[in-house]
Amino acid sequence: MNCLKIEATDINDAWFQSIKACVEKGYEYKIAVGSYAGQRRRQLYNVTVEIKYPGIRPLAPIIPASCSFPPPTSDEKIEEYFANYLMSDKPQAGEQYIYGMYIVPQLPFAIEKLRKGYGTNQACITLGDAESIKLPDPPCLKIIDLKIIANQLVFTIYFRSWDLIAGFPQNLGGLQLLKEFVISELGDENLQDGAIIAHSSGLHIYEHFWELANARIGK
C-alpha cells in the first residue's frame, strides 16, 4: 500500500483532513485483538500527517455549529492531559501505564543533547519496553523524535495504532505543549516552534464513531 501524505495548517485542519481521508479511503475490518475486539473499524494504513503550525490556538478541534455533537476535547483537557499523562510518571489506579512513565526519565537527556548542539539525531524518546507487548493494550505512541531543523524544533512521532476521533486531537495538543516546554527549557530566544510530523500504520475510526465522522465532513 502506498503512503498517504496529508499536509495541514494546524491541528484542527489535520483532524478534519484525516477524518475525511479515513472515511473516503480507509479500509474496514473486524478487530480480532485489541480495544473493542469484535467491533469494526475503518483504518488508514501508512499515513503521514504534517502539521506546519501546530501551535495555533485553540489546540482543540473546532466543531461547526451545524454538527450536533460536542468536541472530543478542549484546551483545558489538553493541558490536563499534558500535565497528568505526558509530564507525570505516576499512573493512577487502574492504569497499566501512562506515556509519562517513559517520557519523564528520558526528556532531560533529550533536552541536554539538544543543548549541547542542534546538529544531532540522538534526541529521540522511545515509549514502551520489551515487556510492553505482553500488556492487554500496549502503548500506542512509540516514538517522539526531537530535531532542530532551520532553527525550528520539529517533532516527528509514530503511533502504531491511533484513534482518530478521541485520541488524535488530544494527543497532538499534548505533544505540542511538550514541544513548547522543550523550547522554553532550551532557553534560546532564536529557536522557533516548528512542525509536527506524525506517522501511523493504524490511524482509525471505531464503528461507534462512524456517524460522528460522517457528520463532521458533511456526509
Side-chain angles (χ1 to χ4, degrees), residues 121-163:
N121 289 333
Q122 294 187 352
C124 185
I125 295 170
T126 57
L127 291 89
D129 52 33
E131 297 298 309
S132 298
I133 197 168
K134 300 176 185 178
L135 294 171
D137 291 297
C140 295
L141 176 61
K142 304 301 292 184
I143 293 172
I144 307 172
D145 179 81
L146 299 75
K147 280 187 175 63
I148 308 294
I149 303 172
N151 216 43
Q152 294 184 341
L153 178 60
V154 175
F155 270 20
T156 302
I157 60 177
Y158 172 72
F159 281 85
R160 62 162 184 84
S161 182
W162 206 1
D163 177 354

Side-chain angles (χ1 to χ4, degrees), residues 90-96:
K90 296 176 175 58
Q92 300 299 310
E95 291 181 324
Q96 301 169 11

Side-chain angles (χ1 to χ4, degrees), residues 1-4 18-33 39-47 158-162 164 200-207 210:
M1 294 183 180
N2 294 329
C3 179
L4 175 66
S18 297
I19 292 173
K20 191 172 189 296
C22 193
V23 169
E24 296 178 352
K25 301 178 182 179
Y27 64 97
E28 294 178 16
Y29 70 99
K30 187 176 181 180
I31 304 167
V33 178
Q39 193 181 112
R40 296 184 66 79
R41 62 184 168 200
R42 191 165 187 84
Q43 179 161 287
L44 290 170
Y45 172 74
N46 202 20
V47 60
Y158 172 72
F159 281 85
R160 62 162 184 84
S161 182
W162 206 1
L164 181 49
S200 181
S201 57
L203 183 59
H204 58 264
I205 302 173
Y206 287 111
E207 187 174 6
W210 286 357

Side-chain angles (χ1 to χ4, degrees), residues 88-133:
S88 171
D89 59 357
K90 296 176 175 58
Q92 300 299 310
E95 291 181 324
Q96 301 169 11
Y97 66 88
I98 56 175
Y99 291 151
M101 288 170 51
Y102 308 107
I103 295 172
V104 170
Q106 298 178 72
L107 187 60
F109 295 95
I111 293 172
E112 187 59 27
K113 287 178 183 292
L114 293 174
R115 187 175 282 122
K116 288 180 178 179
Y118 292 167
T120 180
N121 289 333
Q122 294 187 352
C124 185
I125 295 170
T126 57
L127 291 89
D129 52 33
E131 297 298 309
S132 298
I133 197 168

Side-chain angles (χ1 to χ4, degrees), residues 44-70:
L44 290 170
Y45 172 74
N46 202 20
V47 60
T48 296
V49 183
E50 182 172 352
I51 309 171
K52 191 172 183 180
Y53 304 111
I56 290 177
R57 267 48 173 192
L59 296 173
I62 300 169
I63 302 297
S66 58
C67 291
S68 60
F69 57 87

